[in-house]
Amino acid sequence: MKARRTLMTATLALTVWARSGAADDEFALRDHLSLSASTRMRGEFVSWFDPAGPNSNNDYNFFANRLRFGGTLRFPTIELVVEGQDTEMVNLPGADSINSGAGTKGLGPLGPGALYYANTMTRDQGELFLHLGYATVRDFGLPGVSARVGRFGYNNGLEKAAKDPTLLWLQRSRISQRLIGNFDYTNVGRSFDGVQAIYDRGPMNVTLMGSHPTAGGFNVNANHEIGKVDLAAGTVSLVEPEGLGPTSAQFFYMYYGDRRGLVATDNRPRNPPAGQSCSTGNNSYLYRSCDHDNIAISTLGFNAVHLIEVGPGTLDLLGWVAGQWGKWQSLNDTGWAYDMEIGYQLPDVVLKPWLRYGFYRGSGDKNAADHDRNTFFQMIPTARFYALFPFFNMMNNQDMFLQGIVRPLPGLSAAVSGHWLRATESADLWYAGGGATSSTFFGYSGIATQGRHELSYLTDLEITYTFDKHLSFSTYYGRAIGQGVVSANFVGNNADYGYIETTVSF
């Protein structure tokens, strides 16, 4: 209630200032202040893979509304932004949607609704919190230099947005938020408390960022930061340089540190065998519940997108690659991932068809009993961009996909995709999740592959219509046909997920 009163008071004060201005006719605050508000209403339905037995509510639906409101004060050398958020969810599934305890296979939350419930243990939940609150300062005597401090949003890969609409779509949908993202797909999202230093001039952008993420994602209690998770990022971007045409390229370095001391998600057994303890034989590194050392992972990578006019249409080429090293608690950590995509569109043909093909692969771990971990770690991303049906992510995963997009009317688009999903290493896990959501939830789940590689076939359809800047609609449906990994863990190996949402903005 205190947070609710504080945000309402701040918003009211900004509104009064905007209307009153200042006594001096040459300066009115309303000339520098802009107010904004948006509400996103979404109904979701879930039919998850069926584990059978007790605690197996895998079929449910729920409704959520996300209200954001705030104001921006702009002056020549400083910009102040405050935005509050109120998320309300009803009809979430209950405890029987978390497959755990005696008589179950211990498969965990059954779908996104179960994840919301697992964070708060309430079926109807809501909270008002500070989503954004930062200051941006410019003009240090160095053209293009600025600094930001406070609670802000950050999506890696979008440090410098392209002007070309096709290039911008690829940046937003296929490059950004793979490792660090706002997680706005969820009904809560996340922000970052920290500092940024930015150089942006011409086609070049250099961004340095250090922060702690806020709670959020599937956790509606999102006002506090997760102080024991440390993030740092440095990027150098070149976007649409003269002479190279529609091109975007970026080198990036990112650091993830985790000092929460939680039981991490990896392919080691959780507990020692019966009759042994964590101190037996000095083998604590073999069992996850015995290992509470810190995590410190560095990621170095490169991505590029280039558009070429070929015949009557446009060819797009995309590449993304990353390598990792560091410590995963008591284990030495290395990992890698890459993505290669190609597309061709006909913008001057009816429906403006666009066909795209992609192949992604992220490393997994072959041996749970050694001192090394080799699974690519996705850090704290918006995982759904690369898993529209979010039952998997980029860890120990291979995703071959074919996508078709049509845009029959301005603002209207429809995309249909088919995916062939496999576990890279059969000795590792089937991973899902989007990173830390609180100080007590690790943020990733893992289910044993049971020695299998084949995960699932997935087909999905997404339709979006932006009526104007104030109103948009979106709907999604995905159908997963589970293969060996799924059928080894679930009785029912098919799953469905979808939603319908409307966003109104002012």
Side-chain angles (χ1 to χ4, degrees):
M1 288 299 295
K2 183 178 179 181
R4 186 184 299 268
R5 288 195 300 269
T6 301
L7 284 170
M8 292 181 66
T9 300
T11 304
L12 178 62
L14 286 172
T15 304
V16 171
W17 290 342
R19 293 182 179 278
S20 64
D24 190 342
D25 291 338
E26 296 181 359
F27 177 83
L29 190 59
R30 65 185 175 215
D31 295 334
H32 301 268
L33 177 65
S34 60
L35 301 177
S36 63
S38 68
T39 183
R40 188 182 77 182
M41 297 162 282
R42 178 195 284 172
E44 301 183 41
F45 65 88
V46 179
S47 179
W48 208 250
F49 306 103
D50 186 5
N55 289 353
S56 58
N57 179 12
N58 61 307
D59 290 288
Y60 54 84
N61 54 75
F62 60 97
F63 178 81
N65 183 75
R66 188 186 73 187
L67 172 66
R68 287 178 174 173
F69 55 94
T72 301
L73 273 172
R74 292 184 178 89
F75 299 98
T77 59
I78 189 169
E79 179 177 282
L80 303 174
V81 175
V82 175
E83 182 175 83
Q85 177 174 320
D86 182 48
T87 292
E88 303 291 334
M89 288 178 279
V90 296
N91 200 42
L92 290 167
D96 57 354
S97 67
I98 303 175
N99 186 259
S100 61
T104 74
K105 297 181 179 180
L107 298 172
L110 303 176
L115 284 168
Y116 289 114
Y117 177 82
N119 274 275
T120 61
M121 297 299 177
T122 56
R123 296 193 60 191
D124 297 335
Q125 53 185 257
E127 183 162 317
L128 184 71
F129 58 91
L130 180 66
H131 177 240
L132 300 175
Y134 64 86
T136 301
V137 182
R138 304 179 182 87
D139 190 8
F140 294 91
L142 299 172
V145 174
S146 63
R148 177 173 296 165
V149 61
R151 175 167 292 186
F152 49 79
Y154 180 70
N155 294 321
N156 79 276
L158 267 180
E159 288 81 2
K160 187 173 183 65
K163 296 179 181 178
D164 183 280
T166 298
L167 192 60
L168 179 60
W169 187 92
L170 290 167
Q171 281 183 315
R172 286 176 171 168
S173 302
R174 303 304 307 166
I175 291 292
S176 77
Q177 305 183 61
R178 284 182 183 263
L179 298 179
I180 302 177
N182 292 340
F183 215 3
D184 266 350
Y185 146 70
T186 67
N187 294 306
V188 184
R190 70 163 64 96
S191 307
F192 302 90
D193 291 347
V195 296
Q196 280 184 306
I198 303 166
Y199 170 79
D200 192 298
R201 194 176 188 191
M204 178 172 285
N205 177 284
V206 179
T207 297
L208 302 175
M209 186 274 288
S211 72
H212 302 296
T214 66
F218 294 102
N219 179 15
V220 75
N221 301 318
N223 199 57
H224 64 278
E225 71 173 34
I226 308 175
K228 291 187 177 181
V229 171
D230 307 310
L231 296 173
T235 62
V236 179
S237 307
L238 194 67
V239 179
E240 296 172 304
E242 187 175 352
L244 291 182
T247 301
S248 172
Q250 182 185 80
F251 288 96
F252 59 85
Y253 168 81
M254 295 179 185
Y255 171 82
Y256 177 95
D258 194 329
R259 298 173 284 113
R260 291 178 295 169
L262 302 178
V263 177
T265 303
D266 57 49
N267 60 338
R268 294 175 291 175
R270 181 183 177 92
N271 298 310
Q276 296 186 24
S277 67
C278 290
S279 59
T280 302
N282 196 29
N283 289 328
S284 62
Y285 74 92
L286 291 173
Y287 309 106
R288 292 186 292 132
S289 64
C290 299
D291 194 351
H292 300 285
D293 285 1
N294 296 337
I295 295 172
I297 305 294
S298 291
T299 305
L300 185 66
F302 173 76
N303 62 70
V305 184
H306 183 58
L307 308 183
I308 309 171
E309 298 301 318
V310 177
T314 302
L315 179 74
D316 62 88
L317 302 170
L318 181 151
W320 185 94
V321 62
Q324 292 183 328
W325 69 95
K327 296 290 292 185
W328 183 267
Q329 297 185 320
S330 296
L331 306 180
N332 298 318
D333 188 276
T334 58
W336 51 263
Y338 64 85
D339 182 41
M340 302 178 293
E341 301 181 16
I342 184 171
Y344 188 73
Q345 61 176 305
L346 297 166
D348 297 324
V349 175
V350 176
L351 299 182
K352 298 178 173 60
W354 189 359
L355 185 65
R356 306 197 71 253
Y357 166 83
F359 181 84
Y360 166 83
R361 199 172 192 212
S363 64
D365 188 74
K366 296 180 180 180
N367 187 352
D370 61 13
H371 280 85
D372 298 314
R373 176 186 177 274
N374 305 117
T375 307
F376 182 75
F377 181 54
Q378 207 176 347
M379 294 177 57
I380 191 160
T382 302
R384 189 186 180 258
F385 270 103
Y386 308 96
L388 293 180
F389 188 161
F391 66 90
F392 64 99
N393 60 23
M394 293 170 55
M395 297 161 59
N396 188 41
N397 182 57
Q398 177 181 298
D399 180 3
M400 182 184 295
F401 72 87
L402 188 66
Q403 181 182 50
I405 303 171
V406 294
R407 291 156 292 175
L409 297 171
L412 176 63
S413 69
V416 61
S417 305
H419 298 256
W420 176 30
L421 302 166
R422 303 180 78 243
T424 304
E425 299 293 345
S426 61
D428 205 344
L429 304 180
W430 158 20
Y431 292 93
T437 60
S438 76
S439 297
T440 56
F441 274 69
F442 184 70
Y444 289 103
S445 63
I447 297 174
T449 60
Q450 309 289 355
R452 293 164 168 82
H453 283 282
E454 302 297 323
L455 176 58
S456 179
Y457 298 111
L458 168 64
T459 57
D460 54 21
L461 171 66
E462 186 172 36
I463 300 173
T464 60
Y465 179 51
T466 303
F467 183 78
D468 57 26
K469 65 180 181 180
H470 300 295
L471 182 63
S472 65
F473 303 92
S474 179
T475 185
Y476 171 83
Y477 170 71
R479 169 78 167 176
I481 304 174
Q483 301 301 298
V485 175
V486 176
S487 60
N489 291 283
F490 291 86
V491 174
N493 65 337
N494 295 334
D496 302 272
Y497 170 69
Y499 64 77
I500 299 174
E501 73 175 32
T502 300
T503 302
V504 181
S505 304
F506 301 98

